[in-house]
Amino acid sequence: ARTKSTSSASLLGVPDPSGAMESANAEEVATQLRPSIVKFHEASKGRIEAIGLLFSEMAKQPLPPQVICQILGMDEEVVKEAFDTGNVPSASEEQLFNAVKKSVDPEDTAETYAPILERHVKRFENAKMVTEELKAQLSAMHSHCSGDVEKVAAFFSDLAPAPQTGNPMPEGMINALLRIQPAAKTCSLADFLDCFERNLDIADSVATIQPVLAKHIAA
């Protein structure tokens, strides 16, 4: 996947004979991927963070937010302001489709990206299923600690993979994860549940999370 959509030839004003072929291939690949793109968009709700993770995997390197905004054709300052005010920015289905099209290299095929898209969709499906099954217990834990962000942080720390399991979070990180004001000491149930679902991995399961939940409910 490309991280720059403009060739050196076109930058120099020289006609690029490969441009038409690249464009045709990108259109064909993106069109073949459209059903998967639609599924990803529906599952992710078009969230910028989820799209950033997708494109980073497609590019095989972490892509900074400004690159994601550029690929999506979104104003970086508007996106930053939205994050700062707790309003999560999202991209439309067509913006996502066009971004995938821009990222296609001449040698790419639909098979290059289909497994990546499918893996991300499965992660969303797993997160939704796990959250639904644990919703009553998650609600009980939130009620038990009255949404105290420090106790919520301890819970999420215990869910972290080794060797980070149980390690204290850096200052301010839990509020950022919960998308609440930096000075907030408590979070709502909706913020807690949304954060939980948003950060689950495809390997997470009810069986692995239940014992951690039980521990924190009993604390």
Side-chain angles (χ1 to χ4, degrees):
R2 66 183 67 229
T3 54
K4 296 180 182 177
S5 58
T6 309
S7 70
S8 57
S10 61
L11 280 172
L12 293 170
V14 178
D16 184 357
S18 67
M21 291 180 63
E22 288 185 19
S23 178
N25 181 60
E27 184 72 40
E28 181 180 354
V29 170
T31 299
Q32 289 174 2
L33 289 170
R34 189 179 274 280
S36 296
I37 293 170
V38 171
K39 284 172 65 179
F40 176 91
H41 187 267
E42 289 176 350
S44 68
K45 301 174 184 175
R47 286 172 169 159
I48 297 295
E49 298 150 307
I51 293 173
L53 291 173
L54 172 70
F55 277 87
S56 292
E57 186 171 349
M58 287 166 59
K60 299 179 181 176
Q61 59 179 314
L63 298 180
Q66 58 266 35
V67 172
I68 300 302
C69 290
Q70 183 182 9
I71 293 171
L72 289 167
M74 301 178 76
D75 187 279
E76 185 183 347
E77 288 304 313
V78 173
V79 170
K80 184 179 183 300
E81 185 179 339
F83 271 117
D84 290 344
T85 56
N87 298 314
V88 184
S90 61
S92 68
E93 182 185 307
E94 204 57 28
Q95 281 177 310
L96 178 59
F97 175 81
N98 288 330
V100 171
K101 187 164 63 173
K102 287 180 197 173
S103 302
V104 174
D105 283 328
E107 69 275 11
D108 289 340
T109 65
E111 287 69 33
T112 307
Y113 302 119
I116 299 173
L117 279 158
E118 186 62 30
R119 186 159 55 250
H120 281 257
V121 170
K122 284 183 177 178
R123 182 176 73 82
F124 294 129
E125 291 173 345
N126 179 64
K128 184 176 181 180
M129 180 271 293
V130 170
T131 303
E132 283 300 316
E133 288 198 32
L134 292 174
K135 193 170 185 178
Q137 289 167 274
L138 289 164
S139 299
M141 192 209 119
H142 180 271
S143 176
H144 177 69
C145 72
S146 301
D148 184 291
V149 294
E150 289 187 9
K151 292 180 180 177
V152 169
F155 169 63
F156 283 131
S157 292
D158 283 347
L159 290 177
Q164 287 82 29
T165 310
N167 290 346
M169 287 187 182
E171 186 176 352
M173 183 176 178
I174 186 59
N175 291 58
L177 287 173
L178 289 163
R179 293 177 179 159
I180 58 177
Q181 292 299 315
K185 302 298 182 184
T186 61
C187 65
S188 69
L189 175 60
D191 289 332
F192 173 56
L193 292 175
D194 188 52
C195 180
F196 175 82
E197 181 173 344
R198 195 169 57 247
N199 288 283
L200 286 179
D201 191 28
I202 195 168
D204 290 322
S205 68
V206 171
T208 57
I209 294 170
Q210 264 181 336
V212 182
L213 255 177
K215 168 189 163 184
H216 284 265
I217 291 172

